[in-house]
Amino acid sequence: MLRRGLYLVTPDWNDTGALGAALADLLPARPALVQYRNKNADAALRREQATRLLALCRQAGVPLVLNDDLALALEIGADGVHLGRDDGDPAEARRALGAGRILGVSCYGEWPRAVAGAAAGVDYVAFGAMYPSSTKPAAVPAPLDILTRAKRELGLPVAAIGGITLDNAPALIEAGADLLAVISDVFAAPAPAARAAAYAGLFD
């Protein structure tokens, strides 16, 4: 079962050394989950970066999932995969991963996607954008009460994503979020490690 807490999602940095160093500084805050995501990287760079981050996460005892890339997750032995709308069938991914690895799905603000994900055996459902997001400025907003409904009806961990800050995070947790998926508000913070620790403190 996934722990509740900060769900770190990596920024689109092509400098593997800088990305690894940044994550290494954040792992002492014990995020519940890390997702490697780099929409700019080619296949070779994704493999290089994912392998580097997996080693860091293994050392820290924090699970790493890969965004949108089931084949790479299986190849390097990552802890799981996160699938968006166009990234394959969750049921097929569940079969490929087996029971012991993590499978998450983006549900946006679409309740039927969450129900279908639960039926396919996912480990968590993610909703968003909860707030306007610099990463996905065109994302359709998801209603806050969808977190509450998912928590009540699906019996799965619920992740919130999109425009999350320390200021709006408590409202998401109160609505039912078990995981807060954050990129910019941690990685672009003046003191990223302190920001990550502050998020972790919200779940104490």
Side-chain angles (χ1 to χ4, degrees):
M1 187 59 147
L2 285 168
R3 290 189 300 111
R4 298 173 74 239
L6 174 62
Y7 181 179
L8 274 178
V9 182
T10 63
D12 292 333
W13 293 355
N14 288 348
D15 183 332
T16 303
L19 184 61
L23 182 61
D25 284 344
L26 300 173
L27 287 171
R30 299 285 301 150
L33 193 57
V34 174
Q35 180 188 132
Y36 169 62
R37 176 188 188 275
N38 188 340
K39 295 297 189 181
N40 296 332
D42 61 19
L45 182 58
R46 280 202 307 276
R47 185 177 296 104
E48 174 193 326
Q49 293 189 332
T51 302
R52 170 73 178 131
L53 299 190
L54 181 60
L56 291 169
C57 286
R58 281 276 190 276
Q59 218 171 15
V62 174
L64 176 78
V65 299
L66 306 192
N67 179 265
D68 301 353
D69 201 332
L70 175 61
L72 182 57
L74 292 171
E75 178 187 333
I76 69 169
D79 296 294
V81 69
H82 180 90
L83 299 179
R85 184 182 278 114
D86 304 314
D87 303 321
D89 176 24
E92 288 179 13
R94 178 79 283 163
R95 285 192 289 273
L97 287 167
R101 292 189 187 171
I102 299 166
L103 175 60
V105 290
S106 292
C107 302
Y108 313 100
E110 302 165 19
W111 181 248
R113 281 189 62 81
V115 173
V122 304
D123 295 290
Y124 69 88
V125 287
F127 297 97
M130 301 313 303
Y131 302 103
S133 166
S134 58
T135 304
K136 290 190 173 182
V140 177
L144 196 63
D145 62 4
I146 202 167
L147 304 177
T148 310
R149 183 180 184 187
K151 189 72 179 165
R152 184 176 65 241
E153 297 184 24
L154 297 181
L156 289 171
V158 176
I161 192 166
I164 297 174
T165 66
L166 270 179
D167 289 336
N168 59 39
L172 297 172
I173 294 170
E174 188 175 347
D178 300 291
L179 297 160
L180 298 178
V182 181
I183 305 175
S184 302
D185 198 56
V186 172
F187 282 93
R195 184 64 57 94
Y199 273 101
L202 296 175
F203 292 89
D204 288 344

